[in-house]
Amino acid sequence: MACMLEAPLRISVLSEVTATSRHYVDRLFDPDPQKVLQGVIDMKNAVIGNNKQKANLIVLGAVPRLLYLLQQPSSSLELRTECAVVLGSLAMGTENNIKSLVDCHIIPALLQGLLCQDLCFIEACLRCLRTVFISPVTPVQLLYPDPTVIPHLMSLLSRSQRTQEYITQIFSHCCKTPEHQTILYNHGAIQNIAPLLNSPSYKVQMQALKCFSVLAYENAQVSMTLVNVLVDGELLSQVFVRMMQRDRPIEMQLTAAKCLTYMCRAGAIRTDDTCIVLKTLPCLVRMCSKERLLEERVEGAETLAYLMEPDVELQRIASVTDHLVAMLADYFKYPSSVSAIADIKRLDHDLKHAHELRQAAFKLYASLGANDEDVRKKITETENMMDRIVSGLSESSIKVRLAAVRCLHSLSRSVQQLRTSFHDHAVWKPLMKLLQNAPDEVLVMASSTLCNLLLEFSPSKEPILESGVIELLCSLTQSDSPALRVNGIWALMNMAFQADQKVKVEIVRALGTEQLFRLLSDPDANVLMKTLGLLRNLLSTRPHIDQIMSSHGKQIMQAVTLILEGEHSIEVKEQTLCILANIADGNTAKELIMTNDDMLQKIKSYMGHSNVKLQLAATFCVSNLIWNEEDGSQERQDKLREMGFVDILHKLTQASDPSLCDRAKTAMQQYLA
């Protein structure tokens, strides 16, 4: 019986809530302005902290009416202000609320409202705008279509502490691209916001600081300007240093450290400057300690990784600061049974975000181990580190997988680690699995790591070869992404180095001559260089040279001709001449050069080139063609003498470059023997 009564009861409660909400909306249409005002005030009180009521009012159409009243010139200032306050309160609800408000064109209406002179109304509009813009569902682009908005917001900064807080918060959330940075910079963001760093209000200081961090990020123009800015006679960088002091709130220390990090990475502050080495770096290391909150540890580690990514000395200093390498191991044990988290909500939050800690630790380890062998050793010897990386490669979070493979790539630069840890943990297996179907950014990093695992001294090379990797690498060379094409061909190049005939034949078969020659005309110079490197490695040892040239000689000679005639760099032409020298070393393959007078003339002209590297490579080619101990050497020597090669060799024996001089003398001795 009780069950029978429950359903009608629920319906009546729901209809009561909807009826109450309807009553609030109906009062907005009363012909008496005083009653409308009272209706808006009552609505304001009803929605505070009540998400259900907010959703009901939005569904019942309160927003268009509130916006109409807000924009009506006949509405009193008090009514317009109260409308802005209620809209701000509705925006404090769920993401769906924000979407509804944005769909009702709240942003242009509020921006228009900022033209009013009344401060209370301006502040209410700004507060609502701030709440809307800081939501992830609001397109930040909506701040920029009207070119008068940004300068007007700049002019409102001086009105009150509230306008300063809200406007700087809007800027810091809406500055997402280099174009946004430029717009804010061109409208005087730096001059207008810098004085706010000394505001008596902590909230204003923090929002100003956040503005500078987003403005400086990867922006040389902004960063170079910031270096010379004075705030009350003090250099801005020194203001940031002051804000990193231990007695300042953690949020402030961390954001100030980010500002200096971004200025440093943009080239405005040297990496050996004391404000980086003695202040910023130690501050960021402090943020990694287990006393800090999860998000502080994540941000601290990621910012530190970014700061020292390109700088060997900073990596070395960080690795010996506060036992950082060991401290990061705690990132994988979080939250542990001994975590001092009394707050159950906090624990729930941290459990959901623990993967962010692992991601940050992998990023920081990748940065720490990018160059220094001792640091890499320290990392791999940290408890269960290789097992953690292997687990990271198969985590559900794509960001953790990417960070883990970055870490692996960094460690794979070590010959020692390739021979030991990588082999012991069969790292190649999860790496190959990761390469099967991953997004491009993971593929780029994973294939880069594979290139290192395929070097000839790596014990992983054999099992990788047996796993059928050649087809996979050949498919990468057909990618639209130049980085993936480079990595695919680079890995094949490493694989072909000193490989046996079977592997080389398999590479040529799987790649196909059409694709090989397509890569030789690739617009990306790196792809071209690595393809030439692959060809050079394929054409090494005489039986291999002769076999490949007997089946593909015509196309290879054609490709060599095109490159030597084309507009290419010295490095590309040198590599091509080295391929020609390898062909000249074959028993039967050298005839493809000797019967091609056009090619011989090219070699001759490169012997007289202004660049020594090209002269050396061309002379090496001649040396191989006329080598005495080989069949037919006399005929080849005679032909080249007739073509004037001996005269050039004789001149080169007087060359100022010792290597070139020796190479020419070696070639001349073939004639004298």
Side-chain angles (χ1 to χ4, degrees):
M1 198 68 181
C3 292
M4 294 295 286
L5 287 170
E6 224 172 77
L9 184 68
R10 275 191 189 153
I11 291 167
S12 65
V13 170
L14 185 62
S15 57
E16 200 178 304
V17 170
T18 313
T20 315
S21 306
R22 166 67 63 198
H23 170 64
Y24 285 122
V25 177
D26 290 345
R27 289 170 70 190
L28 299 180
F29 292 88
D30 197 289
D32 182 345
Q34 211 43 46
K35 286 183 179 172
V36 173
L37 175 61
Q38 194 52 51
V40 174
I41 292 169
D42 291 345
M43 185 185 280
K44 174 180 75 176
N45 295 330
V47 297
I48 292 171
N50 188 337
N51 276 350
K52 197 169 190 179
Q53 185 71 280
K54 289 175 186 179
N56 279 336
L57 290 170
I58 289 171
V59 169
L60 292 168
V63 176
R65 183 63 183 169
L66 287 166
L67 284 171
Y68 172 78
L69 294 169
L70 179 125
Q71 293 176 95
Q72 273 303 92
S74 57
S75 296
S76 68
L77 252 179
E78 190 182 359
L79 174 59
R80 294 173 73 194
T81 305
E82 290 294 350
C83 286
V85 171
V86 174
L87 288 164
S89 198
L90 294 176
M92 291 279 194
T94 63
E95 289 187 350
N96 281 337
N97 292 11
I98 298 268
K99 282 179 184 164
S100 304
L101 292 170
V102 171
D103 290 344
C104 289
H105 307 292
I106 189 173
I107 291 173
L110 291 170
L111 289 172
Q112 191 64 31
L114 297 178
L115 296 172
C116 173
Q117 290 305 305
D118 183 79
L119 184 57
C120 285
F121 179 58
I122 288 173
E123 287 177 351
C125 288
L126 283 171
R127 190 183 306 114
C128 185
L129 277 167
R130 179 272 312 265
T131 308
V132 171
F133 273 121
I134 65 174
S135 166
V137 299
T138 306
V140 298
Q141 207 48 47
L142 294 173
L143 184 66
Y144 298 98
D146 180 346
T148 64
V149 167
I150 302 295
H152 185 59
L153 286 170
M154 292 291 178
S155 72
L156 292 174
L157 278 169
S158 58
R159 293 292 298 271
S160 72
Q161 283 185 8
R162 285 202 182 105
T163 64
Q164 291 168 354
E165 180 194 337
Y166 303 147
I167 291 168
T168 47
Q169 197 170 0
I170 290 167
F171 286 161
S172 65
H173 275 272
C174 294
C175 185
K176 302 285 189 197
T177 67
E179 292 72 35
H180 298 161
Q181 289 172 325
T182 302
I183 292 168
L184 292 172
Y185 175 82
N186 288 344
H187 285 105
I190 293 174
Q191 311 80 293
N192 285 301
I193 297 170
L196 307 185
L197 292 170
N198 282 346
S199 165
S201 158
Y202 172 74
K203 285 181 175 176
V204 172
Q205 286 184 352
M206 265 319 300
Q207 294 309 330
L209 199 51
K210 285 178 179 174
C211 261
F212 283 125
S213 79
V214 295
L215 283 168
Y217 181 66
E218 295 195 342
N219 192 310
Q221 183 187 34
V222 170
S223 295
M224 292 295 187
T225 307
L226 289 178
V227 169
N228 300 311
V229 169
L230 289 172
V231 184
D232 293 345
E234 186 181 20
L235 275 173
L236 191 60
S237 56
Q238 286 312 304
V239 176
F240 293 152
V241 166
R242 207 164 19 84
M243 290 177 155
M244 288 191 296
Q245 288 168 358
R246 288 169 188 257
D247 60 344
R248 297 302 176 100
I250 294 297
E251 178 192 29
M252 180 175 272
Q253 291 183 44
L254 192 44
T255 313
K258 283 170 80 170
C259 290
L260 288 164
T261 293
Y262 298 158
M263 288 163 72
C264 178
R265 282 298 307 266
I269 301 176
R270 288 168 54 102
T271 53
D272 59 0
D273 192 299
T274 54
C275 78
I276 297 297
V277 179
L278 301 180
K279 301 292 180 183
T280 310
L281 188 144
C283 172
L284 290 169
V285 172
R286 282 202 304 277
M287 296 302 141
C288 299
S289 100
K290 57 182 167 196
E291 281 72 51
R292 303 270 56 86
L293 292 174
L294 178 140
E295 47 272 41
E296 293 161 359
R297 294 170 80 187
V298 168
E299 214 173 329
E302 294 198 336
T303 308
L304 181 55
Y306 181 69
L307 170 65
M308 63 188 181
E309 196 175 20
D311 193 86
V312 187
E313 190 55 20
L314 285 181
Q315 290 158 13
R316 196 191 57 73
I317 295 167
S319 73
V320 294
T321 302
D322 289 354
H323 308 288
L324 178 63
V325 174
M327 200 194 295
L328 284 177
D330 287 334
Y331 277 45
F332 296 95
K333 306 170 192 169
Y334 188 86
S336 68
S337 53
V338 294
S339 288
I341 304 179
D343 180 353
I344 199 74
K345 262 190 173 174
R346 182 80 222 177
L347 182 61
D348 183 53
H349 168 273
D350 284 5
L351 283 166
K352 284 181 185 149
H353 294 270
H355 68 277
E356 292 175 20
L357 273 176
R358 296 193 293 279
Q359 177 194 334
F362 283 138
K363 276 188 187 172
L364 187 41
Y365 275 137
S367 228
L368 279 167
N371 295 287
D372 191 285
E373 193 60 40
D374 292 335
V375 179
R376 290 187 195 124
K377 189 168 185 288
K378 210 188 241 185
I379 293 169
T380 51
E381 286 172 358
T382 303
E383 51 179 319
N384 307 326
M385 193 59 215
M386 294 307 290
D387 291 332
R388 283 175 180 147
I389 295 174
V390 168
S391 314
L393 294 175
S394 53
E395 275 210 33
S396 56
S397 159
I398 184 72
K399 288 182 173 176
V400 177
R401 293 206 298 277
L402 178 58
V405 80
R406 272 179 67 179
C407 182
L408 196 64
H409 178 248
S410 185
L411 297 173
S412 75
R413 292 177 178 148
S414 159
V415 175
Q416 180 63 26
Q417 298 312 323
L418 284 174
R419 285 182 170 152
T420 54
S421 310
F422 278 58
H423 185 52
D424 298 343
H425 291 83
V427 164
W428 66 272
K429 286 181 182 173
L431 190 66
M432 289 292 291
K433 196 174 170 192
L434 194 62
L435 281 160
Q436 300 309 320
N437 53 351
D440 273 10
E441 57 180 342
V442 175
L443 268 181
V444 168
M445 204 47 72
S447 53
S448 282
T449 310
L450 195 64
C451 287
N452 292 342
L453 290 178
L454 285 167
L455 290 163
E456 97 275 12
F457 50 74
S458 163
S460 307
K461 182 173 181 176
E462 282 311 310
I464 293 173
L465 272 173
E466 287 160 18
S467 73
V469 72
I470 294 177
E471 296 286 350
L472 173 78
L473 296 174
C474 291
S475 70
L476 289 184
T477 69
Q478 296 176 11
S479 166
D480 291 336
S481 152
L484 284 177
R485 291 202 302 281
V486 166
N487 287 350
I489 204 76
W490 195 340
L492 290 168
M493 180 186 93
N494 287 351
M495 194 184 284
F497 182 73
Q498 294 184 352
D500 58 33
Q501 181 72 350
K502 191 175 107 205
V503 173
K504 290 183 177 179
V505 168
E506 179 56 23
I507 291 173
V508 174
R509 185 205 61 74
L511 192 59
T513 46
E514 252 184 66
Q515 177 61 6
L516 181 63
F517 296 114
R518 202 175 292 127
L519 291 165
L520 285 169
S521 54
D522 198 283
D524 187 284
N526 287 328
V527 175
L528 175 55
M529 272 302 278
K530 295 295 174 245
T531 309
L532 291 169
L534 168 64
L535 202 49
R536 190 173 167 182
N537 286 350
L538 290 170
L539 295 167
S540 60
T541 75
R542 283 179 185 166
H544 300 178
I545 295 167
D546 289 334
Q547 188 191 357
I548 291 171
M549 291 306 289
S550 68
S551 46
H552 306 292
K554 192 179 169 192
Q555 296 108 306
I556 289 173
M557 292 300 287
Q558 207 174 344
V560 165
T561 304
L562 285 171
I563 292 169
L564 291 178
E565 286 178 351
E567 292 292 317
H568 291 288
S569 67
I570 296 295
E571 288 73 24
V572 165
K573 294 202 169 183
E574 181 193 13
Q575 188 79 296
T576 308
L577 286 167
C578 288
I579 289 169
L580 214 47
N582 282 12
I583 295 169
D585 194 38
N587 288 323
T588 55
K590 54 168 55 91
E591 286 310 310
L592 286 161
I593 300 175
M594 289 306 301
T595 54
N596 184 335
D597 285 3
D598 179 45
M599 184 59 78
L600 289 171
Q601 288 298 347
K602 282 186 176 53
I603 294 169
K604 186 175 155 189
S605 74
Y606 277 108
M607 287 171 76
H609 198 279
S610 57
N611 185 282
V612 172
K613 287 180 178 178
L614 298 185
Q615 287 180 292
L616 255 171
T619 308
F620 191 33
C621 190
V622 172
S623 197
N624 282 349
L625 287 172
I626 61 174
W627 204 255
N628 259 330
E629 295 151 25
E630 291 161 17
D631 291 346
S633 60
Q634 191 58 56
E635 289 86 344
R636 290 192 293 277
Q637 286 179 10
D638 293 345
K639 179 167 182 177
L640 294 189
R641 179 185 273 115
E642 282 167 27
M643 290 180 74
F645 276 81
V646 176
D647 298 338
I648 298 174
L649 283 173
H650 187 69
K651 266 187 207 156
L652 293 179
T653 59
Q654 314 297 314
S656 57
D657 182 86
S659 302
L660 181 57
C661 174
D662 289 348
R663 176 66 57 205
K665 283 177 182 171
T666 305
M668 281 299 284
Q669 279 164 8
Q670 304 310 307
Y671 278 99
L672 302 171

